[in-house]
Amino acid sequence: MVVYTVGTFDLLHVGHIALLEYCKTLGDVVAVGVASDSVVNSYKPNVPVIGLEEREEMLKALSCVDIVRPYYELEYVSACKELNVDIFVIGGDWGNKAHNIEVENYLKSMGKKIVQVSYSSRTSSTKIKQKIIAQFNKGKDIETAVI
């Protein structure tokens, strides 16, 4: 059974690891689609901090991940066909955008399964970025002198 999930995977954290380890419990092969910077920029205000090649490299190093596949367009059907996906794991913020409905219809027509998971409230890439910015700004309040 091939399990497929997609995301940005910027600033890899425990929430990502929990998702990917969960995916491994669902099947034999875990394939991860990694959004290119241009794809991310199409639905988020900023591109990832970590570039695509490095995000791919980090994911490939995880024992729970078998295949890492970048995607350069906001559509998932081609990957599902190419990988012969049995289960597509989606996040809690999936929504009903055209590209999401398209892959849902395709998977249902093929008798495949969609599993929706809740995101970990422990952390997120956005929370990590906000914490870094807050700590950086806090450091600006310190007066420095050159002696």
Side-chain angles (χ1 to χ4, degrees), residues 11 49 125-139:
L11 302 179
V49 172
S125 296
T126 300
K127 286 182 182 178
I128 292 169
K129 291 172 189 176
Q130 289 169 342
K131 187 175 181 179
I132 291 168
I133 290 167
Q135 289 178 353
F136 175 78
N137 287 333
K138 184 178 178 183

Side-chain angles (χ1 to χ4, degrees), residues 3 17 61 66:
V3 180
I17 302 301
D66 301 295

Side-chain angles (χ1 to χ4, degrees), residues 20-130:
L20 298 171
E21 287 180 337
Y22 174 70
C23 287
K24 193 64 170 183
T25 69
L26 299 175
D28 307 309
V29 175
V30 173
V32 180
V34 185
S36 68
D37 293 354
S38 61
V39 167
V40 175
N41 200 29
S42 73
Y43 62 87
K44 289 185 178 182
N46 300 314
V47 294
V49 172
I50 307 297
L52 177 60
E53 288 180 4
E54 290 180 34
R55 290 183 280 129
E56 288 179 83
E57 190 175 329
M58 288 187 294
L59 289 164
K60 287 176 184 176
L62 300 174
S63 62
C64 57
V65 174
D66 301 295
I67 298 169
V68 177
R69 183 187 184 279
Y71 59 97
Y72 300 93
E73 293 181 36
L74 197 51
E75 69 83 29
Y76 308 118
V77 173
S78 61
C80 288
K81 287 179 179 178
E82 178 186 318
L83 298 166
N84 193 22
V85 169
D86 297 294
I87 301 171
F88 189 31
V89 178
I90 60 175
D93 62 348
W94 182 247
N96 59 357
K97 299 213 163 110
H99 60 277
N100 295 347
I101 292 169
E102 179 186 22
V103 73
E104 287 175 14
N105 290 339
Y106 168 75
L107 292 167
K108 287 176 187 173
S109 75
M110 299 301 290
K112 307 297 182 168
K113 188 174 178 181
I114 299 170
V115 175
Q116 189 166 24
V117 297
S118 298
Y119 287 119
S120 170
S121 60
R122 291 172 31 184
T123 193
S124 71
S125 296
T126 300
K127 286 182 182 178
I128 292 169
K129 291 172 189 176
Q130 289 169 342

Side-chain angles (χ1 to χ4, degrees), residues 137-144:
N137 287 333
K138 184 178 178 183
K140 287 186 169 187
D141 295 338
I142 299 171
E143 187 176 317
T144 56

